[in-house]
């Protein structure tokens, strides 16, 4: 599709989210109905144009900025106010059921006195309560912007954006392999796309006043800094690498992705372990960074490595690998990760 067409379709998404025109009302009544625009499937008997619009949702998500204020416009579970994603995409639909909070509830339900107040009734909800801490709550209305706070959608800006063609995706199997842990895979995927709302982006969006890294290293936080230029996270990744029997120094983020893509092909035990280890590291670094934003302390690298090890080991347990019968390399990996021989 031509870039200009796609920019115009992005404009329709923008209208759908922000306007009440006849076309928007018609779409809501006939195409969206009781569902959320963000969850509609792209398959089934839908028109070509509507399908193209749905396909552009992910591009739109990278640029939409939802600001939660004093209204009840945004769906708690299905609108992408949560670091550019919806809670149901990040945590899956089970989190809704586990929470006991109705599917139709609005974001207001978890705000009290201008503070986030999720009930701590499940590990996911406790985690969400951490992760929402750096999402500001506005004292005005619920609003949606494009690109940065205060900016409306401009077709020309969108056109410039979609004109840059996407590079081929070589790392798909690094992220979406069959043994993945879904929360970790999602977090890694965002990190590879550069789509985490790191502090440098929050600063550009006008949401915070300093991009300073939360691990006190004195540098500004960006995706590359977090993975793994920061001395704190670098130490964690370096320990994880040696647990994987990989003897090399830590590379830059794009080089790490490249290296891991090249050295994790297939489903052999050491390869799967590497993939799980990378995703778990990115996930736990990101979680620790969020905890740091909320609490005033952070755990020592060894404690993070321990969390990574537990997650990876619990995923590998029960897989049919006979660590005792296989070679020494497998055996030493099993020992490092606390995975004992299975059937
Ligand atoms: C939530 O899960 C329980 C137990 O698995 C099930 O009985 C119930 O119907 C579910 N509720 C919803 C709203 O899906
Ligand atoms: C961090 O970012 C700010 C604002 O862009 C800049 O002024 C400052 O020099 C940066 N600090 C470092 C250590 O790069």
């Amino acid at each position: 599709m031509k870039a200009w067409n796609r920019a115009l379709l992005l404009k329709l998404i923008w209208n759908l989210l922000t306007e009440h025109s006849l076309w928007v009302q018609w779409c809501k009544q006939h195409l969206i109905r009781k569902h959320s625009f963000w969850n509609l499937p792209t398959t089934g008997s839908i028109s070509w144009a509507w399908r193209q619009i749905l396909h552009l949702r992910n591009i739109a998500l990278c640029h939409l900025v939802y600001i939660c204020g004093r209204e009840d416009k945004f769906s708690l579970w299905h609108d992408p106010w949560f670091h550019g994603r919806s809670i149901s995409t990040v945590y899956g639909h089970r989190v809704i059921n586990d929470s006991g909070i109705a599917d139709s509830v609005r974001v207001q339900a978890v705000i009290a006195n201008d503070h986030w107040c999720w009930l701590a009734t499940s590990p996911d909800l406790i985690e969400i309560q951490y992760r929402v801490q750096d999402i500001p709550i506005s004292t005005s209305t619920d609003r949606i912007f494009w690109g940065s706070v205060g900016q409306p959608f401009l077709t020309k800006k969108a056109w410039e954006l979609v004109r840059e063609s996407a590079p081929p995706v070589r790392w798909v199997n690094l992220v979406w392999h069959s043994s993945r842990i879904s929360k970790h895979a999602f977090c890694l995927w965002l990190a590879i796309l550069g789509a985490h709302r790191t502090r440098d982006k929050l600063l550009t969006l006008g949401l915070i006043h300093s991009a300073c890294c939360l691990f006190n290293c004195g540098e500004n936080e960006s995706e590359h800094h977090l993975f793994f230029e920061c001395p704190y996270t670098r130490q964690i990744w370096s320990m994880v690498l040696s647990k994987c029997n990989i003897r090399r120094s830590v590379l830059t983020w794009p080089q790490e992705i490249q290296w891991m893509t090249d050295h994790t092909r297939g489903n052999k035990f050491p390869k799967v372990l590497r993939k799980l280890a990378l995703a778990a590291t990115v996930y736990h670094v990101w979680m620790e960074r969020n905890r740091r934003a909320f609490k005033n302390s952070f755990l020592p690298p060894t404690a993070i490595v321990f969390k990574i090890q537990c997650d990876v080991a619990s995923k590998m347990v029960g897989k049919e690998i006979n660590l005792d019968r296989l070679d020494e390399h497998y055996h030493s990996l099993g020992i490092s990760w606390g995975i004992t021989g299975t059937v």
Side-chain angles (χ1 to χ4, degrees):
M1 207 187 337
K2 289 281 190 304
W4 188 249
N5 274 334
R6 295 168 69 192
L8 290 175
L9 292 176
L10 283 173
K11 166 95 172 127
L12 293 181
I13 293 185
W14 172 257
N15 291 348
L16 207 51
L17 300 174
T18 57
E19 285 188 356
H20 302 282
S21 66
L22 273 181
W23 178 76
V24 171
Q25 287 176 32
W26 186 88
C27 288
K28 286 188 175 161
Q29 254 179 38
H30 295 91
L31 302 173
I32 303 177
R33 295 195 287 261
K34 287 205 175 339
H35 306 282
S36 160
F37 168 68
W38 298 107
N39 296 343
L40 295 174
T42 50
T43 52
S45 57
I46 52 178
S47 73
W48 181 86
W50 184 244
R51 196 187 315 275
Q52 302 314 310
I53 289 179
L54 295 181
H55 278 312
L56 285 173
R57 282 176 298 187
N58 278 336
I59 294 186
L61 280 182
C62 296
H63 304 278
L64 287 168
V65 186
Y66 276 62
I67 299 290
C68 303
R70 296 239 161 110
E71 272 177 302
D72 57 0
K73 273 197 199 153
F74 304 148
S75 157
L76 179 63
W77 302 115
H78 304 296
D79 276 330
W81 59 269
F82 181 69
H83 301 285
R85 295 292 183 280
S86 71
I87 302 240
S88 64
T89 13
V90 180
Y91 288 88
H93 279 262
R94 231 192 53 207
V95 72
I96 306 178
N97 191 346
D98 290 351
S99 73
I101 306 174
D103 189 75
S104 58
V105 150
R106 310 269 111 190
V107 176
Q108 275 307 310
V110 295
I111 298 178
N113 301 323
D114 296 333
H115 285 90
W116 295 105
C117 60
W118 287 79
L119 293 178
T121 50
S122 77
D124 280 343
L125 295 192
I126 294 170
E127 191 181 299
I128 293 170
Q129 171 72 6
Y130 280 134
R131 296 183 67 177
V132 292
Q133 292 310 315
D134 56 4
I135 302 178
I137 299 168
S138 157
T139 50
S140 106
T141 51
D142 290 349
R143 282 161 307 158
I144 302 178
F145 300 108
W146 182 271
S148 62
V149 174
Q151 298 301 310
F153 180 93
L154 294 173
T155 311
K156 186 167 181 296
K157 250 188 343 189
W159 176 62
E160 280 160 8
L161 181 105
V162 293
R163 208 168 38 149
E164 300 155 13
S165 56
V169 187
R170 296 185 57 241
W171 42 261
V172 166
N173 296 328
L174 177 62
V175 179
W176 306 110
H177 57 97
S178 58
S179 305
R180 70 181 179 267
I181 299 172
S182 33
K183 273 193 298 191
H184 295 190
F186 189 78
C187 194
L188 174 62
W189 180 61
L190 291 182
I192 293 178
L193 291 176
H196 276 299
R197 302 250 163 151
T198 42
R199 294 178 65 78
D200 58 333
K201 288 185 209 124
L202 296 179
L203 185 72
T204 320
L205 292 174
L207 296 174
I208 54 173
H209 300 296
S210 151
C212 228
C213 173
L214 295 164
F215 298 124
N216 293 339
C217 62
E219 296 291 324
N220 286 332
E221 184 192 274
S222 64
E223 218 100 23
H224 286 202
H225 178 74
L226 215 46
F227 311 114
F228 299 100
E229 274 165 19
C230 173
Y232 173 77
T233 62
R234 174 179 287 257
Q235 194 182 343
I236 294 171
W237 179 234
S238 155
M239 285 158 82
V240 173
L241 281 177
S242 64
K243 265 183 177 304
C244 291
N245 285 348
I246 297 172
R247 316 249 170 264
R248 61 163 171 80
S249 51
V250 174
L251 308 168
T252 65
W253 185 229
Q255 288 168 343
E256 280 295 344
I257 298 164
Q258 178 80 54
W259 194 95
M260 291 301 283
T261 305
D262 293 341
H263 294 82
T264 56
R265 292 188 211 288
N267 287 318
K268 293 242 168 69
F269 170 65
K271 305 297 173 75
V272 173
L273 194 68
R274 286 175 182 183
K275 288 187 260 205
L276 287 172
L278 174 67
T281 305
V282 165
Y283 175 79
H284 282 292
V285 159
W286 183 247
M287 287 314 299
E288 188 57 18
R289 173 259 187 214
N290 292 330
R291 263 191 295 274
R292 174 74 178 103
F294 177 48
K295 285 187 183 171
N296 215 17
S297 61
F298 51 91
L299 296 170
T302 45
I304 305 294
V305 173
F306 185 67
K307 283 169 188 266
I308 295 167
Q309 174 178 338
C310 291
D311 282 357
V312 171
S314 68
K315 193 71 195 182
M316 295 308 289
V317 164
K319 294 241 179 283
E320 306 214 339
I321 336 149
N322 189 335
L323 290 172
D324 297 329
R325 280 216 331 248
L326 287 161
D327 65 16
E328 206 164 313
H329 175 52
Y330 278 43
H331 192 73
S332 78
L333 281 175
I335 306 253
S336 303
W337 288 91
I339 307 164
T340 45
T342 45
V343 187

